[in-house]
């Protein structure tokens, strides 16, 4: 596996994801291990997730509010208290300067050492991580990390807001076709499962199938990583941006 920054070098992490629950499916175990180590983690959720769920009796406005509440509860399960939302419409994200600026703004506010986001690449082996919103957010976040957040002359309105340039040293991407780093989250699995169950509008219909799916997928990651029998892992592609 590739070398990454040691946790002793990390003070703050910013996780930029498209929808409520994305961070929990891809990374909640890893995030629990970071908060256990004293790292401050902030979630930035780009959309309200209003196009999710399975209940025709819930309006889209109500769904958006439900999903914000679910995300806050899920965050608490893994030790995250700072959850922010940009409020973009679910399923209709497009690349553009506005989205890059909004993400760069939060990077400059939080000043993270590490940023976690979606891979902007399509994964043909597992189509779900390649939702169009995921790929747009992954690409916009990478652009916000480099060059936008670190360039003092990009988006001058951010400096007018008192937000000085900031260089995040590392980006972790989930859901892509070429992972090169794995985190053993066997000890954090119960908290990951609890976080996902907090997203009741999205997972309650799955019953025991949720845990079975996670164990199969994460056990496969652990096998690829060589972690041994019975272990569970999350996978990422890591980019050194310094």
């Amino acid at each position: 596996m590739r070398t990454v920054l040691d946790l002793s070098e990390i003070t703050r992490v910013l996780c930029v994801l498209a929808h409520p629950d994305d961070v929990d499916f891809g990374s909640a175990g890893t995030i629990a291990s970071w908060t256990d180590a004293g790292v401050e983690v902030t979630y930035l959720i780009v959309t309200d997730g209003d196009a999710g769920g399975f209940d025709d009796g819930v309006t889209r406005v109500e769904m958006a509010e439900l999903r914000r509440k679910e995300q806050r509860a899920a965050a608490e399960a893994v030790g995250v208290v700072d959850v922010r939302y940009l409020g973009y419409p679910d399923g209709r994200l497009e690349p553009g300067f506005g989205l890059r600026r909004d993400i760069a703004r939060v990077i400059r506010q939080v000043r993270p050492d590490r940023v976690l986001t979606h891979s902007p690449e399509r994964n043909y082996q597992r189509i779900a991580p390649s939702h169009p919103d995921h790929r747009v957010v992954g690409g916009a976040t990478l652009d916000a990390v480099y060059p936008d957040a670190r360039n003092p002359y990009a988006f001058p309105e951010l400096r007018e807001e008192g937000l000085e340039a900031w260089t995040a040293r590392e980006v972790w991407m989930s859901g892509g076709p070429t992972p090169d780093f794995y985190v053993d989250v066997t000890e954090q699995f119960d908290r990951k499962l609890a976080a996902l169950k907090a997203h009741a509008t999205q997972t309650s219909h799955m019953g025991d199938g949720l845990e079975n799916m996670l164990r199969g997928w994460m056990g496969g990651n652990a096998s690829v990583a060589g972690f041994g029998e019975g272990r569970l892992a999350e996978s990422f592609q890591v980019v050194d941006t310094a």
Side-chain angles (χ1 to χ4, degrees):
M1 294 191 299
R2 65 145 51 234
T3 301
V4 303
L5 292 173
D6 189 81
L7 272 182
S8 64
E9 303 175 79
I10 303 294
T11 301
R12 292 176 297 275
V13 174
L14 174 64
C15 304
V16 186
L17 287 305
H19 313 104
D21 81 19
D22 288 341
V23 68
D24 300 300
F25 272 109
S27 314
T30 298
I31 289 164
S33 72
W34 293 344
T35 60
D36 286 346
V39 175
E40 297 177 22
V41 178
T42 296
Y43 289 173
L44 178 63
I45 310 301
V46 173
T47 80
D48 278 333
D50 55 285
F54 304 93
D55 187 349
D56 287 341
V58 178
T59 69
R60 294 304 92 191
V61 172
E62 292 169 337
M63 180 58 69
E65 183 55 34
L66 278 172
R67 298 202 69 187
R68 287 190 181 213
K69 291 179 180 177
E70 290 174 346
Q71 184 61 82
R72 287 191 288 268
E76 288 177 7
V78 295
V80 175
V81 296
D82 186 2
V83 183
R84 310 182 188 192
Y85 305 90
L86 291 181
Y88 280 77
D90 185 353
R92 289 175 280 166
L93 289 181
E94 294 180 331
F97 290 114
L99 180 58
R100 283 170 49 183
R101 180 199 59 227
D102 290 347
I103 296 171
R105 175 183 287 111
V106 180
I107 291 173
R108 293 192 187 187
Q109 290 170 343
V110 174
R111 305 178 81 78
D113 305 294
R114 174 180 290 160
V115 172
L116 184 151
T117 191
H118 301 283
S119 171
E121 298 182 64
R122 188 181 293 278
N123 186 337
Y124 290 103
Q125 294 183 332
R126 293 180 57 240
I127 195 67
S130 299
H131 187 294
D133 285 351
H134 295 186
R135 289 183 283 120
V136 169
V137 169
T141 301
L142 285 172
D143 290 341
V145 168
Y146 179 83
D148 298 334
R150 69 178 65 191
N151 181 354
Y153 306 109
F155 301 119
E157 60 268 37
L158 299 184
R159 293 190 81 186
E160 293 171 6
E161 296 172 17
L163 299 173
E164 296 299 329
W166 178 259
T167 298
R169 299 165 63 193
E170 206 172 64
V171 175
W172 288 34
M173 300 184 297
S174 65
T178 53
D180 58 10
F181 191 76
Y182 297 82
V183 180
D184 187 329
V185 296
T186 310
E187 306 309 319
Q188 291 80 25
F189 178 78
D190 288 347
R191 291 160 69 191
K192 177 184 178 79
L193 184 60
L196 283 166
K197 287 184 175 180
H199 295 282
T201 61
Q202 314 302 305
T203 63
S204 62
H205 68 287
M206 299 177 70
D208 292 339
L210 174 62
E211 180 171 355
N212 295 336
M213 179 195 72
L214 291 173
R215 288 189 178 276
W217 160 42
M218 297 169 68
N221 285 339
S223 179
V224 170
F227 289 153
E229 187 79 22
R231 308 305 291 180
L232 303 169
E234 293 172 340
S235 63
F236 305 91
Q237 183 175 359
V238 179
V239 178
D240 182 349
T241 65

